[in-house]
Amino acid sequence: MIKAEMMASYIHNIPKNARNAFCSSIVFGLIAHLYMFTNKLPNYDDLTGLRVYGASRVLGRWFLWMLGEVRERLLGNYSMPWLNGMFYIFCIAMVSALTVHLLNIRDRVLSALIGGIMVSFAPVMGTAFFMFTAPFYGVALVFAALAVWLFLSEKWYLRIVGCIFGVLSIGIYQAYFPFCAALLVLILLRQLFSEKTFVSVFKNALQYFALLVITVIGYLAITRIFWGNELSSYQGADQMGKLKIAELPVIIKTIYYNYRTFHIGQFNGINSNLLILSGLSMLCICGYIEVGIYAVAQFLHKKRDSVLKGLMSLLLVAIFPIAAFGIYLMASHAYVYSLMFYPLVLCFIMPVMLLDQWNQSEKGLFKGFPKMEKIVLSVANVIVVLMLSLSTAGYCHYDNEYYLQIALCEEQTESIVTTWITQIKSLEGYRADMPVAFIGSYHDETYFNAENYFPNTYLAGWSNYVLSNQYLQYMTIYCGYSPAVISDISELSIVAEVQEMPCYPTDGSVRIIDGVVVFKFSEP
């Protein structure tokens, strides 16, 4: 039996920085996402995802299939916002704790802010839209962080275990593998700042790169051998691992262009409000200045090892965007959207890590200028803490803003669809066995779209139920009306009586014609 004293001892042995990050993620997770977790706000997939775990083997996500089947047999797969959502937040809290530990962040405030930004970052909200699969994606992110942790081990067999965790993470969701790569780049930067020799850091870089390659090869081999025939052309799943050398220049150009856009402009709805964009821009400027100061300090030492370390620091910063945007390399034939950009959260963390390492440096970077260096560090600490705080606050606001928009659209949809059902059932001569034909797309000049109140919310992963013609799913699952629907309306559309019908909401736009309920939204 586990005693309370033993449990307290285990918790006490967890580094304080990791505990700070973990607890902060839970608190900020509730601030940012509690509304989503305590309401049912489905997106286009979640409308029909009440008892599924998402597309799996056809997209190369075979371990998602395994986990989904296990959960199905043990408990059943349900899109439960509170349990699924809290489990997902718990997973991110674990990743936050591991990230802070791996980057050796010792400052309590910075550790807590890292936990806050990692759980409020917009792609977390994007994942919450797909609530039916969010807990599995949380496991994928934990496995990705564990893989990095094991890569740092001195024991070769633990590194192999790390590769296995990496393979399993990709087997759930491929977009989290770049998180491994980008985190390893930051770890190498941290090692440079912690006064390791160039040779030792360079050896580590080669080993980490080899482990990443082994992980990818292992995943592709398993996928091709066991499920190669099942891969779908959707999102280029059947093209994974078939990157052409000729495509690399275009992909690299796209990566750096998007990386620049992410820092100074609105990118995929991830950094939509000015508070977030200002915080991100200032943080990244601080990060580049910190690396620049470090490189200059190393060059001034005029020692071969120091100069090489300075050059390597600049190279790692140049490589970082490729690592963070690695999904473009992994899925070069796929549509890449905001849900896949979670690794970009490390852009907020890089300057924090560099500053914390600088704070920990006993000797400092510049000999002979201790007062000036102390002033620079003091100013940098204030700026970084303030900007990271503003960014976290901005994301908490943005998350709740988006959830409010979805809630209003959901209520509008319920009102509109309930009216349609009433109109259909109120038709003279209506019978329950009558099929229903919906012609055209919904258009109503009296309809006020709640999205008009929210000009900054355009994160991929959600769309208006009515305007995107998802009303049939909503009508069935959330309003309980499931008539036989005629999907092929080509013959019905050319019937003279149907052509003479006015369009909705004009009187006469809903009729019974030859035993079929015709609901005419617009001309076909």
Side-chain angles (χ1 to χ4, degrees):
M1 182 177 179
I2 299 177
K3 296 182 180 180
E5 295 82 1
M6 187 181 299
M7 183 64 69
S9 176
Y10 288 146
I11 295 174
H12 181 73
N13 289 331
I14 299 173
K16 289 183 179 180
N17 57 352
R19 276 184 280 166
N20 287 340
F22 181 90
C23 295
S24 175
S25 285
I26 297 297
V27 171
F28 279 101
L30 292 174
I31 294 172
H33 308 291
L34 182 61
Y35 188 79
M36 181 66 163
F37 297 165
T38 53
N39 292 274
K40 188 57 186 167
L41 306 175
N43 78 335
Y44 48 82
D45 276 353
D46 201 59
L47 273 174
T48 54
L50 286 175
R51 187 81 193 265
V52 299
Y53 50 82
S56 54
R57 289 175 298 181
V58 295
L59 296 181
R61 301 170 189 170
W62 42 267
F63 196 57
L64 170 61
W65 165 68
M66 293 179 183
L67 291 178
E69 289 301 309
V70 169
R71 186 188 181 195
E72 177 62 33
R73 285 166 172 72
L74 293 176
L75 299 168
N77 286 295
Y78 297 96
S79 182
M80 300 177 291
W82 176 248
L83 286 180
N84 287 11
M86 284 307 300
F87 181 82
Y88 179 52
I89 294 304
F90 180 80
C91 288
I92 294 178
M94 291 178 63
V95 174
S96 300
L98 268 172
T99 300
V100 164
H101 177 63
L102 292 170
L103 295 178
N104 194 29
I105 308 293
R106 295 185 184 179
D107 187 278
R108 294 185 178 183
V109 175
L110 294 179
S111 299
L113 288 174
I114 287 176
I117 196 70
M118 290 189 74
V119 78
S120 60
F121 191 43
V124 175
M125 171 178 59
T127 305
F129 293 162
F130 300 85
M131 191 59 74
F132 59 93
T133 197
F136 301 106
Y137 283 16
V139 172
L141 196 53
V142 171
F143 281 7
L146 286 174
V148 174
W149 180 49
L150 291 167
F151 285 169
L152 303 186
S153 173
E154 296 295 331
K155 299 177 180 178
W156 66 268
Y157 58 87
L158 289 180
R159 292 187 172 191
I160 296 302
V161 175
C163 291
I164 294 172
F165 272 112
V167 169
L168 296 179
S169 175
I170 304 173
I172 299 174
Y173 190 50
Q174 296 91 337
Y176 291 151
F177 182 70
F179 182 82
C180 291
L183 185 55
L184 285 170
V185 171
L186 295 190
I187 289 171
L188 290 170
L189 268 174
R190 186 257 297 169
Q191 291 173 359
L192 286 175
F193 269 67
S194 62
E195 299 186 7
K196 285 182 175 287
T197 64
F198 167 77
V199 173
S200 64
V201 178
F202 184 71
K203 285 182 178 179
N204 287 341
L206 293 179
Q207 291 172 0
Y208 299 160
F209 180 74
L211 291 168
L212 290 174
V213 171
I214 291 171
T215 301
V216 172
I217 292 175
Y219 164 74
L220 291 175
I222 293 173
T223 304
R224 292 291 175 183
I225 292 172
F226 295 100
W227 292 281
N229 294 331
E230 297 184 37
L231 293 177
S232 167
S233 59
Y234 177 73
Q235 291 283 40
D238 58 344
Q239 298 299 313
M240 283 189 300
K242 297 181 179 180
L243 178 64
K244 297 178 182 178
I245 301 299
E247 297 175 341
L248 273 177
V250 176
I251 294 174
I252 298 299
K253 181 180 178 181
T254 300
I255 286 174
Y256 281 106
Y257 175 81
N258 288 341
Y259 186 72
R260 175 179 175 273
T261 304
F262 176 62
H263 286 71
I264 64 174
Q266 294 186 353
F267 178 74
N268 279 57
I270 294 177
N271 51 349
S272 292
N273 66 49
L274 187 58
L275 200 61
I276 295 170
L277 189 56
S278 300
L280 173 61
S281 299
M282 286 298 296
L283 279 170
C284 291
I285 290 172
C286 286
Y288 299 140
I289 291 175
E290 289 162 3
V291 174
I293 290 174
Y294 172 81
V296 170
Q298 297 304 310
F299 294 154
L300 291 177
H301 289 165
K302 297 180 180 179
K303 296 179 181 179
R304 181 174 178 273
D305 187 73
S306 297
V307 172
L308 290 174
K309 286 172 67 176
L311 290 173
M312 188 174 184
S313 67
L314 298 176
L315 179 61
L316 288 172
V317 171
I319 291 174
F320 179 73
I322 299 176
F325 274 107
I327 189 62
Y328 284 107
L329 296 172
M330 297 183 65
S332 57
H333 300 87
Y335 165 62
V336 180
Y337 57 100
S338 51
L339 187 65
M340 302 177 180
F341 291 130
Y342 186 77
L344 292 180
V345 72
L346 294 174
C347 293
F348 293 90
I349 297 173
M350 180 180 70
V352 179
M353 180 273 296
L354 295 174
L355 179 64
D356 191 69
Q357 291 299 312
W358 195 357
N359 286 328
Q360 294 178 37
S361 177
E362 295 180 359
K363 298 180 180 179
L365 296 180
F366 293 95
K367 296 179 180 180
F369 301 95
K371 291 184 178 180
M372 183 189 74
E373 188 166 353
K374 187 176 181 180
I375 293 172
V376 171
L377 268 176
S378 298
V379 172
N381 274 288
V382 171
I383 293 175
V384 167
V385 169
L386 179 60
M387 292 301 105
L388 192 55
S389 300
L390 291 177
S391 298
T392 303
Y395 275 121
C396 288
H397 183 280
Y398 183 52
D399 295 340
N400 281 277
E401 177 186 351
Y402 221 126
Y403 295 147
L404 174 60
Q405 174 189 312
I406 298 174
L408 291 177
C409 287
E410 196 274 340
E411 291 184 13
Q412 287 183 345
T413 302
E414 181 180 9
S415 174
I416 291 170
V417 173
T418 300
T419 300
W420 295 348
I421 296 171
T422 302
Q423 288 176 290
I424 290 172
K425 290 187 175 182
S426 298
L427 291 171
E428 185 177 352
Y430 171 77
R431 300 190 313 274
D433 61 347
M434 287 182 173
V436 180
F438 294 94
I439 297 178
S441 299
Y442 173 73
H443 177 74
D444 183 351
E445 293 182 358
T446 65
Y447 170 63
F448 178 79
N449 188 352
E451 293 180 46
N452 293 333
Y453 284 122
F454 307 90
N456 296 322
T457 54
Y458 54 96
L459 190 76
W462 184 85
S463 56
N464 187 291
Y465 313 104
V466 177
L467 299 182
S468 58
N469 291 334
Q470 294 167 310
Y471 48 81
L472 289 178
Q473 297 97 313
Y474 191 93
M475 181 181 291
T476 299
I477 296 174
Y478 289 87
C479 296
Y481 179 58
S482 182
V485 177
I486 298 176
S487 56
D488 185 1
I489 60 169
S490 55
E491 294 184 5
L492 187 63
S493 299
I494 61 176
V495 173
E497 192 174 352
V498 173
Q499 291 182 336
E500 293 172 0
M501 287 175 62
C503 295
Y504 190 84
T506 304
D507 182 43
S509 58
V510 185
R511 296 181 187 176
I512 297 176
I513 299 177
D514 296 332
V516 176
V517 176
V518 179
F519 208 119
K520 188 175 180 180
F521 288 122
S522 64
E523 297 296 338

